[in-house]
Each structure stands twice: as C-alpha cells, then as structure tokens.
RNA sequence: CGGGGUGUAGCGCAGCCCGGUUAGCGCAUCUGGUUUGGGACCAGAGGGUCGCAGGUUCGAAUCCUGCCACCCCGACCA
C-alpha cells in the first residue's frame, strides 16, 4: 500500500493532501473548503471531460446550461429532496454592498432579496421547473440533456478533490414517457460510468443498487459504481438515479400520451465529479507519487536531454524534435523538457511525482549508439531502445501501461475483497486490512444502521452480479438470498 | 458543532516552557563560477508588521485575555 510519500507517514489523509499539492494538481484556496485546481490538475479534468462527453454524445445526449441560482421555493417542492440538501446550502440573501463610511464595505440592508436564492447543490429543481415549459406531448420526449457545471455543498469537513465546498461535475437530467424507458436510461448511464472508470481511469468498479438509506434525496432507485482505494476504503465514483415521477409531480410536468391520456413524466439524473480525480490519485499512486493512466495523462511522454556541452545539447535536440513530431503524429502528447537549470535526476523525480507514464532520456552515449533510454512510471523500470523503433515502441508501451495499471488495481481489489460469514471476522477485517466485504444482509434498514453504528461500515451497493445463494445475515442471522458489498467509505 | 493540534520569509520548520544583543535553519529565488546518465556543488545576495487585537513589563515571537484561520479525528457527505 502506498503510504510514505512524506515523513507524515502515520496518516493516509495527509499523504493524500501532500501528494495532490506536490504533484501540482491543486491547493486549498482562501475560501473555506474550496480548492484551486492548478493547470496540470485541470488538464486531467479536461481529459476526463472529453472522454465522458464523447460517451454521452454516443448515447444520444446533448449539453445545455441552467442557472447557478435556484429560488428557495423551487427547492422545497420535493419533500425528500429538500430534506436531503437543506443542511448544506449556501444562500444568497442580498444583491448589493455599500460603503460603511469608514473605508470598508457592508451588505446594503436595502438590497435584501424578496426571495432568497440557493447556490445549486444539484440542479433537479431548476431543471424540472424549466422542463415543465418544454414538455406537452409524448412527441417532446425523451429529453436527454447533460450539463457541465459547478455546484456548492456546504459540507462540514472538506478534502481536496474528494469533498470540496465547490466542485465541478456533470449532471445529466433526462425526461421519459415511460417508467421502463427511464429505468433503462438509469442503467445505461451507470454502465457508461463503469466503462469510463475501467477503460480510461484504469480503475475496476463494482456496479450495484444503493440501499434505501444511501439513496439520493428524491430518488426511487440509485445505482452506483464503487471503487476500492489503496488504504482499504471505498469511494463512490459515480451515481445514476431513477427519480420516478417525483420531480414531475413536484413541478407539475405532465404530457399527453399516444392515447390522449395525461401522465406525469419519468425522470433520471446522473453525475460524476472532480472526485474522479481523487479516485485516480488514491487508486494508483505509489511512494514516488502519482501514477496516471496514459489515456488521462496530460503529458504522456516526457523527453529529457542529458548533456555537458552546448554542442551536445543541439545534437540531442535535433533528434528529439524528430521523435516528438513522430509521436505527436500518432496522437501522443509529448513534452520536451529542455530547461537547463535542473539536473536530469531532478527532472526524473519531478515527472514521476506528476505521474507521467513514459519518460525518454537521450544523452551523448545514446547519440553514439543510436539508442534512447525509456522508463515506465508504473513499474519504474527502464531499458535501452533503438532510436529507429522508438515511436512504435512508445505507442505499444502506453497501451501496455494502461492495461497494467488496471490489472494492478484489479489484483489489489481481489486481494482485499473478503467473503465473510461471521460477525467477528467482519469487524476484524475492517480494522485490518480493510477493503471490500461481501456478506449476507437481511435487507432491513435497522440492521444496516446497527452495522454502521458499530463499525462505521456501510452497504456500498447491492452488486448487480451478486449471485443468488442461500445465506444468513452476518449481523442478525436472518435468512438472505445474496451477498452485498460492505466497506468503510470516503 | 464537539475533541486535539498548528499559525514565525514563497514552502517546510527551530526558537516559546524559563521574556533580554541584530529572530534563526533547510529548501526555493537572484548573481558568479564549476557541474549535468537518479532530487549537483562552492561563494555571495535579497526576502519577516513572528496570524490579528488588546493587556502585563524598562523590555514580548516568548507571559495573560479575546478573536481569526488552517490541519487532523468525530457527526455530515458526490
């Protein structure tokens, strides 16, 4: 398990924060619980956005944008929804400041809003208030819209990427004529997320249903993907909600079906956030820093020259320019680090910290021998390759690294997933080594809450692929038909 | 909001208990030189309202009071 990036080894949280800051991804801002995403970190987010956006378009969705502010009255229309979000809302009460006459400024009491505005913690309400005007007939359906946005949730405790006060995300909001179609959409999108997590982020996930306790506020069914982090905790990496007719009823969105009958519209919503970056960081990093999957790495290949004299440098640069061009022609992003104020060793360490998948080094010896030193971030191994074949080699290697990172994470998950039947094993495993626990559950809220109280573990999901089998609830001993996924979580 | 901890140069810290020269160290920065195949070295230089506001004292980074911010643990959560 990766743990010792700094001398603060006793604490995985600090290790994580340290890594985020040192790898130049983000830092805390002056605003409570908010973060500054730095250019290198944001470049990863842009890769994530591009990858997801492509998948959304392939599944028939389009992008749109809705307001940041939500009138308080909208918010309160859906009872469960307001219940779920009320305690973490930022509220706008005034629209103007004025001089206090002492060189400072104060909120102008004359500029009090008649109705307060909520800074969106999620957009169901403002969007369904809009959809009301867009939908009259079954011919107006389905509506398949996604929005890329920022949202604000005033959490008590925050953590870079994992739980910030403001975060970036996408939220899909769809409207359908039938229950079946909406449920299909809910399922389709959790599969899109799972594909992205596994293929692009190289992170294996478990798809499943949330228990009633863990459902989104206002949803009839919440589907989720759950990933295992290297410290043995689970991370909810994405959710897709079947909202039934709850929001349509709250906002009075009815349509005329083919037979001329009025009915309420069926809804889904689904989202992933900058938390995905936290998943990549905690899922793959090692003691040398970040390990980025090639498909999401802003820099896939870094080239470092090694030289003593200016003549050597120009001879190396000449070769590098060609290699860079060839690689870029194959769609690979390459950085040539020709700074002369850092030694090669410093640069090696720096790009390892930043998780760049492949590093090439070229020095006088290579010029003589017609070779390039190629090092891979995932295994930290290096070898000499003929300069003639370097392009093909890199292309293949990036693929191999992508696969290897996934396999490594998968092996880790396998080794840290436990099928347990005894309560004493359950508590023991949670403390050391942690991880995923597959255990029987009697299906009741009461048992789930008791387990949470006693162990801090929750039901992460009821996996789709959990086979039917006879068993007894690990806590109550009552009969159960399948195992569910328990873990402590972020 | 409860418990613990920390605020001293861009970053990381020592000094505080036991008040007293000019507030110090490492990294980073700048200049010059030597270096460069795994986080270079030497010499020199610049950079501080010691978190903020009061108080005690001849004298406060150090003691006292209040406030603020951040971090960790809990409750809450994508």
């Amino acid at each position: 398990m990766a743990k010792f990036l700094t001398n603060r080894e006793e604490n995985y949280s600090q290790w994580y924060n340290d890594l985020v800051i040192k790898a130049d991804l983000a830092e805390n801002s002056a605003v409570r619980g908010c973060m500054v995403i730095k250019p290198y970190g944001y470049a990863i987010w842009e890769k994530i956005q591009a990858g997801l956006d492509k998948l959304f378009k392939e599944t028939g969705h389009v992008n749109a944008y809705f307001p940041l502010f939500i009138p308080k009255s909208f918010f309160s229309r859906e009872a469960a929804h307001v219940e779920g979000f009320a305690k973490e809302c930022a509220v706008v009460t005034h629209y103007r400041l004025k001089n206090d006459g002492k060189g400072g400024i104060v909120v102008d009491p004359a500029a009090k809003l008649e109705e307060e505005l909520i800074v969106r913690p999620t957009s169901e309400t403002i969007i369904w208030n809009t959809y009301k005007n867009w939908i009259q007939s079954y011919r107006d359906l389905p509506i398949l819209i996604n929005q890329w946005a920022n949202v604000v949730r005033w959490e008590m405790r925050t953590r870079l990427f994992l739980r910030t006060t403001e975060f970036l995300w996408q939220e899909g909001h769809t409207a359908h004529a039938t229950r079946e179609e909406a449920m299909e959409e809910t399922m389709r999108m959790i599969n899109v997320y799972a594909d992205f997590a596994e293929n692009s982020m190289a992170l294996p996930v478990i798809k499943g249903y949330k228990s009633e306790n863990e459902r989104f506020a206002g949803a009839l069914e919440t589907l989720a993907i759950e990933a295992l982090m290297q410290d043995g905790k689970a991370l909810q990496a994405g959710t897709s909600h079947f909202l039934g007719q709850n929001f349509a009823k709250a906002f009075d969105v009815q349509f005329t079906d083919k037979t001329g009958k009025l009915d309420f519209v069926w809804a889904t919503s689904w989202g992933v956030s900058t938390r995905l970056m936290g998943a990549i960081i905690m899922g793959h990093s090692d003691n040398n820093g970040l390990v980025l999957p090639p498909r999401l790495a802003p820099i896939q290949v870094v080239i470092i020259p090694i030289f003593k004299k200016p003549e050597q440098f120009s001879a190396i640069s000449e070769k590098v320019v060609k290699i860079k061009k060839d690689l870029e022609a194959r769609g690979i992003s390459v950085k040539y680090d020709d700074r002369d104020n850092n030694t090669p060793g410093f640069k090696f360490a720096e790009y390892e910290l930043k998780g760049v998948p492949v590093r090439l080094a070229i020095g006088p010896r290579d010029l003589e021998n017609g070779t390039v030193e190629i090092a891979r971030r995932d295994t930290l191994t290096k070898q000499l390759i003929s300069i003639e074949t370097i392009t093909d080699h890199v292309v293949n290697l990036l693929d191999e690294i992508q696969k290897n990172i996934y396999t490594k994470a998968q092996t880790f998950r396998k080794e840290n997933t436990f099928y347990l039947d005894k309560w004493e094993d359950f508590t023991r495993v949670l403390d050391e080594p942690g991880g995923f626990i597959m255990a029987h559950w009697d299906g009741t809220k009461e048992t789930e809450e008791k387990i949470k109280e006693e162990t801090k573990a929750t039901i992460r999901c009821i996996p789709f692929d959990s086979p039917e089998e006879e068993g007894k609830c690990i806590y109550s001993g009552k009969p159960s038909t399948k195992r569910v996924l328990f873990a402590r979580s972020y």
Side-chain angles (χ1 to χ4, degrees):
Chain A
M1 186 187 301
K3 234 180 192 173
F4 306 122
L5 187 72
T6 69
N7 56 0
R8 302 180 189 169
E9 55 268 316
E10 73 287 348
N11 196 314
Y12 193 85
S13 297
Q14 294 214 345
W15 173 88
Y16 171 85
N17 258 2
D18 241 43
L19 175 54
V20 168
I21 291 164
K22 287 190 176 158
D24 218 23
L25 302 177
E27 63 188 34
N28 286 307
S29 83
V31 184
R32 196 213 83 115
C34 293
M35 73 174 160
V36 176
I37 306 177
K38 299 170 80 176
Y40 186 63
Y42 199 79
I44 300 172
W45 178 238
E46 286 177 324
K47 289 278 216 173
I48 292 173
Q49 284 186 302
L52 284 170
D53 217 59
K54 183 160 171 278
L55 294 172
F56 296 160
K57 301 259 158 75
E58 282 169 11
T59 44
H61 302 86
V62 290
N63 287 327
Y65 189 80
F66 297 85
L68 169 68
F69 298 124
I70 300 175
K72 194 179 75 182
S73 58
F74 286 15
F75 210 76
S76 52
R77 296 229 200 129
E78 214 288 325
H81 192 67
V82 71
E83 169 90 9
F85 285 103
K87 22 186 210 321
E88 53 188 42
C89 286
V91 184
V92 178
T93 55
H94 293 75
Y95 59 86
R96 194 165 61 210
L97 302 171
K98 66 169 188 181
N99 281 326
D100 65 358
K102 288 177 280 184
I105 44 171
V106 291
V107 173
D108 185 350
K112 191 167 172 11
L113 288 170
E114 213 154 284
E115 180 178 3
E116 294 92 341
L117 297 171
I118 314 295
V119 180
R120 64 183 165 214
T122 179
S123 301
E124 275 77 6
T125 54
I126 189 103
I127 286 180
W128 278 90
N129 186 69
T130 307
Y131 282 180
K132 174 185 166 62
N133 303 321
W134 293 0
I135 300 168
Q136 277 89 39
S137 133
Y138 73 93
R139 293 183 214 273
D140 298 323
L141 297 171
I143 293 179
L144 303 172
I145 285 181
N146 174 62
Q147 112 164 321
W148 288 96
N150 57 340
V151 288
V152 166
R153 295 183 189 174
W154 213 267
E155 303 289 356
M156 307 226 154
R157 228 180 109 207
T158 59
R159 195 102 94 73
L160 294 175
F161 288 117
L162 294 182
R163 192 176 305 102
T164 40
T165 299
E166 178 190 10
F167 56 96
L168 305 182
W169 78 345
Q170 59 68 217
E171 44 181 331
H173 295 274
T174 68
H176 305 267
T178 65
R179 178 188 191 98
E180 292 68 34
E181 200 184 300
M183 197 60 224
E184 248 171 60
E185 168 79 0
T186 312
M187 194 63 82
R188 179 178 306 117
M189 297 322 287
I190 203 67
N191 284 322
V192 163
Y193 289 152
D195 284 354
F196 182 78
E198 303 201 329
N199 295 326
S200 295
M201 294 166 60
L203 209 58
V205 293
I206 293 185
K207 295 182 278 189
Y209 299 94
K210 283 285 176 187
S211 65
E212 198 187 330
N213 270 349
E214 300 278 329
R215 251 176 231 153
F216 175 76
L220 298 186
E221 198 72 80
T222 289
L223 312 182
I225 52 172
E226 292 284 332
L228 180 61
M229 301 296 101
Q230 289 187 80
D231 65 344
K233 281 181 162 181
L235 186 74
Q236 180 175 307
T239 48
S240 179
H241 314 291
F242 172 65
L243 302 173
Q245 295 172 308
N246 286 353
F247 284 89
K249 283 176 181 163
F251 288 88
D252 190 30
V253 188
Q254 298 193 69
F255 73 105
T256 312
D257 71 14
K258 281 179 191 169
T259 64
K261 210 167 78 251
L262 266 185
D263 195 8
F264 288 103
V265 175
W266 297 85
T268 83
S269 69
W270 27 273
V272 297
S273 70
T274 35
R275 174 178 266 198
L276 289 184
M277 297 180 64
I280 293 169
I281 298 162
M282 289 198 297
H284 299 313
S285 299
D286 63 20
N287 291 337
N288 293 308
L290 207 57
V291 177
L292 290 176
R295 281 181 204 158
L296 297 178
I299 303 168
Q300 292 170 306
V301 177
V302 64
I303 306 177
I304 296 171
I306 299 163
F307 60 95
K308 292 192 191 359
K309 300 176 204 129
E311 311 87 81
Q312 291 172 331
F313 175 63
S314 43
I316 290 165
S317 290
E318 208 175 293
K319 297 272 183 202
V320 170
V321 166
K322 185 179 181 310
I323 294 173
K324 186 165 187 274
K325 220 174 120 199
D326 289 349
L327 287 172
E328 280 168 351
R330 303 283 289 268
I332 294 167
S333 63
V334 183
K335 180 183 169 112
Y336 177 36
D337 187 348
D338 58 359
R339 288 177 298 174
D340 62 357
N341 55 340
N342 293 108
T343 60
F346 180 89
K347 292 176 185 174
F348 292 171
E350 187 182 14
Y351 290 104
E352 275 164 17
L353 187 60
K354 288 185 160 201
V356 174
V358 172
R359 180 184 75 229
L360 303 180
I362 304 183
R365 281 208 305 263
D366 297 300
L367 287 184
E368 253 173 56
N369 304 333
T371 56
V372 176
E373 184 189 86
I374 183 163
R376 48 191 288 186
R377 178 63 185 86
D378 58 337
T379 58
L380 293 167
T381 52
K382 44 192 183 182
Q383 66 182 125
L384 288 174
I385 299 290
S386 156
I387 199 161
E388 308 297 327
T389 59
I390 192 69
T391 310
D392 285 336
H393 191 87
V394 167
V395 170
N396 293 333
L397 185 58
L398 284 171
D399 252 5
E400 195 186 321
I401 292 172
Q402 179 81 30
K403 284 194 198 104
N404 182 51
I405 294 177
Y406 178 81
T407 308
K408 214 163 144 187
Q410 198 179 34
T411 305
F412 176 82
R413 191 181 74 182
K414 207 175 209 173
E415 285 167 354
N416 290 280
T417 299
F418 305 94
Y419 289 75
L420 302 179
D421 296 307
K422 284 194 220 130
W423 181 242
E424 61 262 32
D425 291 341
F426 189 95
T427 51
R428 185 177 48 78
V429 166
L430 274 178
D431 286 332
E432 191 62 40
F436 280 173
I437 295 177
M438 298 295 295
H440 280 281
W441 168 52
D442 63 19
T444 68
K445 223 184 207 174
E446 294 70 36
T447 298
E448 188 181 1
E449 274 163 9
K450 283 254 173 63
I451 292 175
K452 187 177 176 182
E453 254 171 55
E454 288 183 32
T455 66
K456 307 227 184 320
T458 49
I459 296 174
R460 299 321 304 154
C461 69
I462 302 155
F464 295 157
D465 60 5
S466 193
E468 294 280 328
E469 62 176 44
E470 292 288 304
K472 284 180 185 163
C473 174
I474 193 151
Y475 186 83
S476 69
K478 289 181 193 154
S480 149
T481 57
K482 59 164 66 171
R483 290 176 188 271
V484 302
L485 173 62
F486 285 95
R488 290 195 181 131
S489 75
Y490 276 99

